[in-house]
């Protein structure tokens, strides 16, 4: 597979659908229908604004478990992704927070979603959920067992976390790809809404050796032009919300503005910088 086959573009813009609190989460309000309707509204607004794909996250389930989520969360997310696939004609991915890649792979495979995001695929990170260890060995074997072709996009030195030890960024990128077998990597700033530095993107792209590098946080219409000069795509959330506030709904006007700014970069480069995802054999 490659980025063009999944997203129909060499530099995809992936909008985030932040789900309302789901069953068993601390802020669950007891109304799954309302959560589904909000997800449908967010997905519709993102599609109308021109994004190339969606990623669904249980963002408002915080505080998160560090590994496996409750089966009710898996059930709710499966139902929501299936509804969205019948609503918008866009590739959809999943991120089951904080790091339940096993459930994300199961949901994606069963709903024919195209990719998952894994916050910690390799290495060990200290987070507000505690110590999270990458379990690439389990995830890759599970994908094989399922006969799945779902792509794995893995964060490197993920936001809201600190590595145990002091790994070099280029080493972390190489290990995530070569030892963790990630199909693409994601580079973020230190926190939600904070972009990666231009220098870190350059280092990551050089170390990735042809594997796609996506921006994972902090992109907005003002900085996306520079960021995409050293990346192959972007996952964007906060700057697409009303007034740029993470708790607000998606604003289609802000989406269109962001997409226009990103497309200008793609038009200037005329497709230069396209990278392929590694082939996945079932």
């Amino acid at each position: 597979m490659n980025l063009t086959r999944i997203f129909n573009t060499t530099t995809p813009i992936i909008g985030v659908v932040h789900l309302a609190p789901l069953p068993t989460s601390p802020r669950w309000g007891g109304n799954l229908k309302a959560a589904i309707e909000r997800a449908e509204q967010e997905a519709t607004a993102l599609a109308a604004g021109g994004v190339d794909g969606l990623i669904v996250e249980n963002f408002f389930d915080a505080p998160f478990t560090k590994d496996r989520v409750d089966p009710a969360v898996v059930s709710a997310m499966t139902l929501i992704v299936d509804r969205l696939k019948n609503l918008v004609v866009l590739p959809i991915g999943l991120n089951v927070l904080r790091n339940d890649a096993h459930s994300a792979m199961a949901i994606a495979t069963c709903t024919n979603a195209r990719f998952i995001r894994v916050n910690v695929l390799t290495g060990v990170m200290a987070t507000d959920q505690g110590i999270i260890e990458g379990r690439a060995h389990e995830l890759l074997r599970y994908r094989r067992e399922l006969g799945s072709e779902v792509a794995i996009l893995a964060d490197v030195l993920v936001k809201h976390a600190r590595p145990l030890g002091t790994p070099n960024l280029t080493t972390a990128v190489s290990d995530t790809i070569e030892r963790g077998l990630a199909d693409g990597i994601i580079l973020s700033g230190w926190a939600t809404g904070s972009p990666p530095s231009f220098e870190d993107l350059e280092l990551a792209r050089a170390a990735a050796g042809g594997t796609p590098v996506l921006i994972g946080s902090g992109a907005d219409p003002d900085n996306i032009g520079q960021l995409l000069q050293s990346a192959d795509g972007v996952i964007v959330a906060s700057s697409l919300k009303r007034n740029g506030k993470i708790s607000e709904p998606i604003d289609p006007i802000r989406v269109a503005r962001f997409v226009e700014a990103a497309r200008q970069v793609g038009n200037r480069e005329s497709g230069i910088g396209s990278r392929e995802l590694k082939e996945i054999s079932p």
Side-chain angles (χ1 to χ4, degrees):
M1 295 189 293
N2 60 35
L3 291 177
T4 303
R5 287 178 191 158
I6 295 177
F7 300 104
N8 200 32
T9 177
T10 58
T11 52
I13 302 164
I14 304 169
V16 183
V17 176
H18 283 150
L19 299 180
L22 298 177
T24 73
S25 71
R27 290 176 286 183
W28 163 240
N31 190 343
L32 185 58
K33 181 180 178 181
I36 293 171
E37 289 176 349
R38 176 178 171 126
E40 291 175 335
Q41 292 166 1
E42 301 252 297
T44 301
L46 288 165
V51 301
D52 304 302
L54 306 176
I55 184 166
V56 178
E57 294 185 352
N58 56 324
F59 182 82
F60 290 109
D61 280 356
F64 307 114
T65 61
K66 71 176 183 178
D67 39 44
R68 296 292 175 87
V69 299
D70 190 89
V73 175
V74 176
S75 299
M77 292 187 74
T78 303
L79 176 61
I80 290 169
V81 171
D82 187 62
R83 292 282 289 266
L84 297 187
K85 283 183 64 66
N86 291 316
L87 183 67
V88 298
V89 187
L90 288 172
I92 295 177
L94 285 123
N95 186 15
V96 183
L97 298 166
R98 172 72 149 132
N99 203 54
D100 193 351
H102 191 278
S103 292
M105 179 62 69
I107 298 169
T109 301
C110 291
T111 59
N112 291 317
R114 304 299 300 277
F115 63 97
I116 64 172
R117 179 177 185 174
V118 183
N119 285 176
V120 184
L121 181 66
T122 60
V124 183
M125 303 293 287
T127 76
D128 55 306
Q129 293 82 31
I131 302 299
I132 298 181
E133 299 181 21
R135 296 182 176 179
H137 65 294
E138 293 180 1
L139 180 61
L140 271 294
R141 284 166 173 77
Y142 187 50
R143 183 172 70 177
R144 178 79 174 192
E145 289 175 5
L146 293 174
S148 176
E149 293 187 349
V150 170
I152 298 168
L153 305 182
D155 283 272
V156 174
L157 304 181
V158 68
K159 59 189 175 181
H160 298 290
R162 295 293 184 273
L164 294 189
T166 54
N168 179 279
L169 175 61
T170 57
T171 301
V173 170
S174 297
D175 282 352
T176 302
I177 295 168
E178 296 171 11
R179 297 171 67 84
L181 301 185
D183 302 301
I185 67 165
I186 300 169
L187 201 67
S188 302
W190 289 112
T192 298
S194 173
S197 71
F198 184 75
E199 292 76 17
D200 282 352
L201 282 171
E202 287 280 289
L203 288 171
R205 199 173 196 186
T211 297
V213 176
L214 280 72
I215 301 154
S217 68
D220 60 41
D222 297 323
N223 66 19
I224 189 60
Q226 182 184 35
L227 292 174
L228 278 181
Q229 291 178 30
S230 295
D232 300 292
V234 58
I235 298 172
V236 57
S238 301
S239 67
L240 307 185
K241 301 293 186 79
R242 186 181 300 160
N243 300 317
K245 295 183 178 180
I246 197 71
S247 60
E248 295 291 321
I250 295 290
D251 183 344
I253 296 175
R254 293 178 71 95
V255 179
R257 182 183 170 214
F258 182 92
V259 169
E260 182 181 3
R263 292 281 184 264
Q264 288 175 355
V265 179
N267 291 338
R268 286 199 305 268
E269 295 186 353
S270 300
I272 295 173
S274 173
R275 298 178 177 213
E276 291 190 351
L277 291 169
K278 297 189 298 295
E279 289 294 333
I280 304 171
S281 40

